Amino acid sequence: MAYPGLEITPPFFEIGPKAYMFGSELVDLARRADALSRAFLVQVIITPQCVDLPLVAREVETVLVFAQHMDALERGRGVGSILPEAVKAAGAAGVLLNHVERRLSRDELARTIRRADDVGLATMVCGDDASDAASVAELGPNVIIVEEPLLIAGGTRDDHGRRAIAAANEAIWRVNREIRVLHGAGITGPRDVYDVIAAGAQGTGSSSAIFTAGNPQAMLEDMIKSVREAWDRTH
């Protein structure tokens, strides 16, 4: 692996395996993502389960590998917890935090972001809407994922949802213009990817639409290609 630092350059795309895919099958998909990232000049982030971090990290060159979660604890006691130093040692470049399936309290989120900063991990933090994302921005993450919970795993993004992209961007960038903003949820195929990027997102991503597809690698290619096409058309 050879990470290009922790700078995340738009446009970018996040692959969220959740618990859909693991082991050698996920490694194969990560390798394909690496090739697609280079071919289309789209930065790709993948979030394997912690047990798969070293497997994936040693097989990719341009893809950034983020853990799905970690805890704010220090070295010592903590059976069942995920130590930041261990995430870093496993080859991760960063960590996903506060997903709707793994919520953190405000205090815990702030402590976990600080621990990530301490060990040199980038942070990608979820928020539900413009107001929530602006609050998250005050904690200083590298990336904010704006995801309306009702859209996750198959909801449909309407015209109002597309207009909300600009509002969320503005709310975040009033706090910190350096934060990258990914708009996810409701991404069911390449057309959704195109529409979200064209509406002003710096990045987007998908979980279920990729991993429940008949051919996940083909779906991934179509989505990453759509990121590039939308970005080139609107920038």
Side-chain angles (χ1 to χ4, degrees):
M1 65 186 173
Y3 293 123
L6 295 180
E7 177 65 21
I8 298 168
T9 303
F12 62 101
F13 185 85
E14 185 253 334
I15 304 167
K18 297 187 178 179
Y20 286 109
M21 187 180 286
F22 58 91
S24 61
E25 189 178 14
L26 183 60
V27 169
D28 286 344
L29 185 134
R31 289 195 193 105
R32 182 62 181 149
D34 211 46
L36 293 169
S37 176
R38 292 191 296 270
F40 291 104
L41 301 180
V42 171
Q43 178 66 73
V44 174
I45 299 169
I46 191 168
T47 56
Q49 296 186 68
C50 279
V51 293
D52 286 325
L53 288 174
L55 295 176
V56 174
R58 65 175 173 245
E59 295 294 333
V60 296
E61 292 293 328
T62 61
V63 168
L64 296 176
V65 181
F66 279 40
Q68 291 185 7
H69 172 73
M70 74 178 194
D71 298 291
L73 80 163
E74 303 284 344
R75 291 190 188 200
R77 295 183 176 183
V79 171
S81 299
I82 301 172
L83 182 70
E85 285 84 353
V87 170
K88 179 76 171 178
V95 60
L96 171 68
L97 297 170
N98 201 44
H99 190 274
V100 68
E101 297 172 13
R102 194 66 168 80
R103 287 296 198 204
L104 298 175
S105 70
R106 173 80 175 191
D107 288 347
E108 188 68 12
L109 180 58
R111 287 196 299 273
T112 309
I113 290 172
R114 287 196 299 270
R115 286 287 284 125
D117 291 342
D118 288 345
V119 303
L121 291 167
T123 47
M124 186 164 62
V125 181
C126 298
D128 292 345
D129 52 27
S131 176
D132 191 30
S135 177
V136 169
E138 295 172 356
L139 302 178
N142 299 90
V143 181
I144 293 178
I145 299 178
V146 184
E147 289 189 319
E148 183 179 338
L150 290 177
L151 292 178
I152 292 174
T156 301
R157 189 183 297 270
D158 57 15
D159 288 341
H160 172 76
R162 286 187 284 272
R163 288 193 299 270
I165 288 172
N169 291 348
E170 182 180 355
I172 291 165
W173 290 336
R174 276 199 301 265
V175 178
N176 185 339
R177 190 61 181 80
E178 299 304 310
I179 294 173
R180 303 303 191 196
V181 186
L182 182 157
H183 290 267
I187 305 299
T188 62
R191 182 73 238 182
D192 293 322
V193 168
Y194 186 98
D195 289 346
V196 167
I197 296 295
Q202 293 181 313
T204 190
S206 180
S207 291
S208 59
I210 294 173
F211 293 100
T212 63
N215 187 332
Q217 292 197 23
M219 176 64 79
L220 178 62
E221 179 171 356
D222 289 344
M223 286 184 169
I224 291 177
K225 181 180 179 183
S226 293
V227 171
R228 173 46 61 192
E229 289 175 347
W231 188 265
D232 287 349
R233 190 178 183 89
T234 56
H235 290 77

